[in-house]
């Protein structure tokens, strides 16, 4: 599946990610990279990037990577661990496929700041439907 088609699909169809100023910057089979610039809307009450914003960025990478095979994949489980606070700058989430089977797939997503420091790790599993994504 063409990388530009997947990027365009998420840019047009993932309204929640777009609303939160997140973008898919790279996609290949089983991999994806997403990015956001931390803005005031992403901060929690103590001026750190909100855990929900970090989760959403990782989830977007998870969605792009898991759907990169042009087969609708939906999350059935996701967990996140936070390692370091982020307050400003760019966050990048990189997803990699850990396993791919007929009905289930799993992914590891690392979220890093602009300095390359690990902010969070996210693990997700999908159920792979028979429907094509595009």
């Amino acid at each position: 599946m063409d990388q530009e088609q997947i990027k365009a699909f998420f840019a047009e169809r993932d309204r929640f990610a777009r609303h939160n100023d997140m973008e898919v910057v790279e996609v290949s089979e089983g991999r994806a990279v997403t990015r956001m610039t931390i803005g005031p809307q992403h901060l929690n009450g103590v001026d750190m990037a909100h855990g929900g914003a970090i989760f959403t960025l990782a989830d977007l990478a998870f969605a792009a990577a898991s759907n990169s095979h042009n087969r609708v994949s939906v999350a059935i489980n996701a967990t996140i661990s936070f390692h370091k606070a982020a307050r400003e700058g760019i966050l990048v989430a990189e997803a990699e496929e850990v396993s791919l089977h007929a009905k289930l797939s799993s992914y590891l997503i690392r979220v890093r700041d602009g300095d390359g420091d690990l902010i969070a790790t996210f693990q997700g599993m999908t159920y792979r439907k028979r429907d094509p994504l595009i």
Side-chain angles (χ1 to χ4, degrees):
M1 167 151 252
D2 181 78
Q3 172 179 343
E4 294 306 315
Q5 288 178 298
I6 294 286
K7 286 170 55 177
F9 176 87
F10 283 98
E12 294 168 14
R13 302 289 306 267
D14 196 322
R15 294 167 293 278
F16 189 71
R18 188 173 60 238
H19 175 76
N20 285 285
D21 300 321
M22 299 172 185
E23 65 175 327
V24 176
V25 294
E26 291 178 34
V27 180
S28 59
E29 282 201 3
R31 300 184 62 79
V33 177
T34 58
R35 177 177 54 213
M36 78 171 185
T37 300
I38 299 170
Q41 71 276 21
H42 300 119
L43 300 179
N44 63 19
V46 293
D47 294 327
M48 294 187 289
H50 194 288
I54 296 168
F55 186 97
T56 300
L57 181 66
D59 189 52
L60 179 61
F62 173 41
S66 65
N67 283 281
S68 66
H69 302 285
N70 196 30
R71 194 162 148 189
V72 173
S73 294
V74 294
I76 58 174
N77 186 43
T79 61
I80 193 165
S81 297
F82 299 101
H83 306 288
K84 180 182 175 186
R87 298 180 186 277
E88 59 184 23
I90 293 173
L91 292 181
V92 174
E94 187 169 347
E96 67 176 293
E97 197 167 73
V98 175
S99 68
L100 178 68
H101 299 285
K103 293 187 180 184
L104 299 175
S105 61
S106 62
Y107 297 80
L108 175 63
I109 298 87
R110 291 177 180 90
V111 179
R112 296 184 186 278
D113 65 14
D115 294 328
D117 292 340
L118 186 64
I119 301 300
T121 50
F122 174 113
Q123 292 179 294
M125 180 176 281
T126 69
Y127 176 76
R128 303 181 71 223
K129 300 178 81 170
R130 294 177 192 253
D131 307 327
L133 181 70
I134 297 174

